[in-house]
Amino acid sequence: MGFSKFESAITGQIASLFQKRGTVEPSALIKALEREVVMQEEKTDNGLVVPNDYTIYLCEEDCHRLSATRIFKALHEAVERKVIRENCFMDGNLSVRIEKMYEGNEVIVIKSKYIDDVRVDENTINLENDVISNTLVAQKTLVEENEKTIIADKGDFNTPTKTAYPRQMEYEIAKLTLQNDDSKEEFILGEKQFYIGRKENNDLSIADESVSRIHAYISYERHRHIIHDANSLNGTYINKKLIDKQELKHGDKILVGSVLVTYEVI
């Protein structure tokens, strides 16, 4: 599916009034990114969609201070969770990066765009300032209403670069809650397929005769959790409606056999 590429900037006004250059907190960064996701929603024939590529520009001090693996994990999860809460979709791989703002007085500037085909190995770390990135930026200058960015493909370099080996990121996006008589169990959902059923080796194993051995499974498609009934004997219900396949929304009640499970965005 082809999208026309566009970019938009939001200034530091969306950050806390007490924030200034050099003192941006991770919570302000997350709120700014979440707002950008909502601002760029677009209606298409395939549903409401949002951009899949985000570049956050900060002053040099904030850039180095906030360019850490845990921050990037939180930013990635924030976007994924916002997509679900807004009942949107996202096509292609999600990319979030932080780069240094060379000019401008804003606290935070975010550029977002649609990329039809993002080539992603896995999230990697740029050891120079601990930035997660999938590309090397050879030269960049940010000026008011005019941006020039030259992206150099890693394959263009013959000499070794300061990048770590790719490594897998485990994201925590939503959870399933199984309520028992006196307690409850919670199961984290990320981007991996998740199986529900009576068999002990399921991700969510339910020891109830009304539940089939493999009753249902949850996939991750277009950055949404999709539940599929696995030809179960007693069926899978979402909010009392029998389903074969359906996108999950925050607060959905899933009936597996006679056992009730709740889906929630973290």
Side-chain angles (χ1 to χ4, degrees):
M1 175 182 177
F3 295 101
S4 58
K5 296 182 180 180
F6 68 92
E7 296 183 343
S8 65
I10 53 177
T11 69
Q13 293 176 353
I14 69 170
S16 168
L17 293 176
F18 299 101
Q19 296 281 337
K20 60 183 181 179
R21 291 167 66 89
T23 65
V24 172
E25 294 297 326
S27 59
L29 208 58
I30 289 172
K31 288 179 181 178
L33 188 55
E34 289 176 333
R35 177 164 174 172
E36 177 70 5
V37 171
V38 175
M39 288 175 63
Q40 302 308 330
E41 293 176 356
E42 276 198 347
K43 288 185 178 180
T44 73
D45 293 338
N46 291 322
L48 201 61
V49 297
V50 297
N52 62 323
D53 186 274
Y54 299 85
T55 303
I56 305 171
Y57 293 93
L58 302 171
C59 72
E60 184 171 5
E61 181 180 345
D62 285 331
C63 182
H64 284 273
R65 183 168 53 83
L66 296 172
S67 293
T69 304
R70 62 181 181 83
I71 301 296
F72 279 94
K73 183 176 185 292
L75 292 171
H76 186 109
E77 290 173 337
V79 174
E80 301 282 16
R81 294 168 185 170
K82 197 66 175 175
V83 168
I84 301 172
R85 287 185 180 275
E86 294 294 319
N87 197 23
C88 296
F89 296 92
M90 180 189 297
D91 293 304
N93 294 293
L94 171 61
S95 178
V96 181
R97 65 180 68 83
I98 291 177
E99 293 183 3
K100 185 163 60 176
M101 187 189 306
Y102 284 84
E103 297 182 22
N105 297 317
E106 296 89 350
V107 176
I108 302 171
V109 173
I110 298 181
K111 302 283 187 177
S112 62
K113 58 187 175 182
Y114 295 93
I115 295 189
D116 290 339
D117 202 3
V118 181
R119 187 181 67 186
V120 174
D121 301 321
E122 285 295 342
N123 287 325
T124 57
I125 309 298
N126 181 330
L127 300 181
E128 184 177 354
N129 56 0
D130 200 22
V131 176
I132 291 184
S133 179
N134 296 309
T135 55
L136 296 174
V137 178
Q139 177 184 346
K140 53 182 177 291
T141 304
L142 181 66
V143 296
E144 291 184 9
E145 299 182 357
N146 183 29
E147 179 196 4
K148 294 181 179 179
T149 304
I150 300 176
I151 304 296
D153 192 287
K154 290 180 183 178
D156 295 338
F157 289 85
N158 295 320
T159 56
T161 58
K162 293 183 179 180
T163 49
Y165 289 106
R167 66 192 189 193
Q168 182 72 34
M169 275 283 182
E170 294 289 343
Y171 297 109
E172 299 179 354
I173 300 169
K175 65 180 179 180
L176 295 178
T177 301
L178 175 62
Q179 185 70 53
N180 298 315
D181 293 335
D182 300 320
S183 62
K184 65 179 181 180
E185 294 180 82
E186 294 183 347
F187 302 84
I188 300 299
L189 295 175
E191 299 176 345
K192 295 181 179 179
Q193 199 144 291
F194 187 96
Y195 289 89
I196 303 170
R198 200 172 69 250
K199 287 179 64 176
E200 291 185 2
N201 61 345
N202 283 302
D203 298 289
L204 170 50
S205 178
I206 304 174
D208 190 288
E209 289 301 319
S210 67
V211 178
S212 298
R213 288 169 59 81
I214 299 179
H215 195 104
Y217 65 93
I218 297 173
S219 62
Y220 198 64
E221 305 170 26
R222 300 184 70 204
H223 300 264
R224 293 292 300 273
H225 287 120
I226 314 291
I227 189 166
H228 308 252
D229 181 75
N231 296 317
S232 64
L233 180 62
N234 293 315
T236 302
Y237 292 77
I238 304 295
N239 302 324
K240 300 182 179 180
K241 179 182 176 182
L242 181 65
I243 62 96
D244 178 58
K245 171 184 175 181
Q246 184 170 310
E247 296 103 7
L248 288 169
K249 301 176 184 176
H250 178 71
D252 275 349
K253 303 295 184 182
I254 307 168
L255 189 64
V256 180
S258 60
V259 178
L260 190 63
V261 181
T262 303
Y263 172 85
E264 296 175 292
V265 180
I266 297 175

